[in-house]
């Protein structure tokens, strides 16, 4: 059941990227943990910028591939606390973001109105 428009998904993408970048600073995490979370947030923003949806700056990646990258992002968020030995009381934000990302992937519409993919199909019909 896909009901979240890609425009809403795009807004959430950028917000989540910023939150993941800020997370280690807010939680006081240092070293590899901080660098990994910042890198993951930057990567999420970068692949959002090149996705073929309403908020993509360079519409290159198809929405389906973007959603696959979101799954990789979610799995990384879920695995990082164990891989990087987060303090037990600071693991929940990663788990929350990871699960929310999986839910977002499962509920986002596949095609974005106004994207290159959508416009190509419209030109064929006319």
């Amino acid at each position: 059941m896909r009901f979240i428009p890609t425009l809403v998904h795009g807004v959430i993408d950028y917000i989540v990227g910023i939150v993941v970048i800020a997370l280690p600073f807010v939680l006081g995490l240092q070293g590899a943990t901080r660098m990994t979370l910042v890198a993951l947030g930057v990567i999420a923003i970068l692949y959002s910028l090149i996705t073929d949806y309403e908020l993509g700056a360079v519409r290159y990646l198809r929405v389906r591939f973007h959603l696959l990258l979101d799954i990789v992002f979610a799995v990384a968020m879920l695995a990082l606390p164990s891989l990087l030995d987060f303090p037990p009381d600071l693991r929940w934000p990663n788990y929350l973001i990871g699960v929310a990302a999986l839910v977002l992937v499962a509920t986002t519409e596949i095609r974005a109105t106004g994207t290159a993919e959508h416009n190509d199909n419209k030109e064929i019909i006319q």
Side-chain angles (χ1 to χ4, degrees), residues 6-109:
T6 52
L7 177 62
V8 173
H9 183 108
V11 170
I12 293 169
D13 282 339
Y14 292 110
I15 292 170
V16 167
I18 292 167
V19 167
V20 172
I21 291 168
L23 196 60
F25 299 98
V26 172
L27 298 178
L29 300 171
Q30 300 292 323
T33 305
R34 176 182 282 186
M35 291 185 336
T36 303
L37 285 171
V38 169
L40 196 56
V42 169
I43 290 167
I45 290 172
L46 288 175
Y47 74 77
S48 296
L49 284 169
I50 63 169
T51 295
D52 184 19
Y53 61 4
E54 296 86 353
L55 296 179
V58 179
R59 295 178 176 188
Y60 178 73
L61 296 179
R62 293 188 179 267
V63 172
R64 287 182 189 270
F65 189 73
H66 174 98
L67 295 176
L68 177 65
L69 292 174
D70 281 348
I71 292 170
V72 172
F73 170 84
V75 170
M77 289 300 290
L78 293 169
L80 280 179
S82 297
L83 294 174
L84 296 177
D85 200 28
F86 278 45
D89 58 332
L90 299 180
R91 293 177 177 212
W92 67 269
N94 276 63
Y95 296 148
L96 179 67
I97 292 169
V99 169
L102 291 174
V103 170
L104 187 62
V105 166
T107 57
T108 297
E109 295 174 348

Side-chain angles (χ1 to χ4, degrees), residues 52 62-64 110-112 115-122:
D52 184 19
R62 293 188 179 267
V63 172
R64 287 182 189 270
I110 298 297
R111 293 191 187 233
T115 64
E117 179 179 317
H118 180 75
N119 290 337
D120 288 345
N121 291 338
K122 188 185 286 185

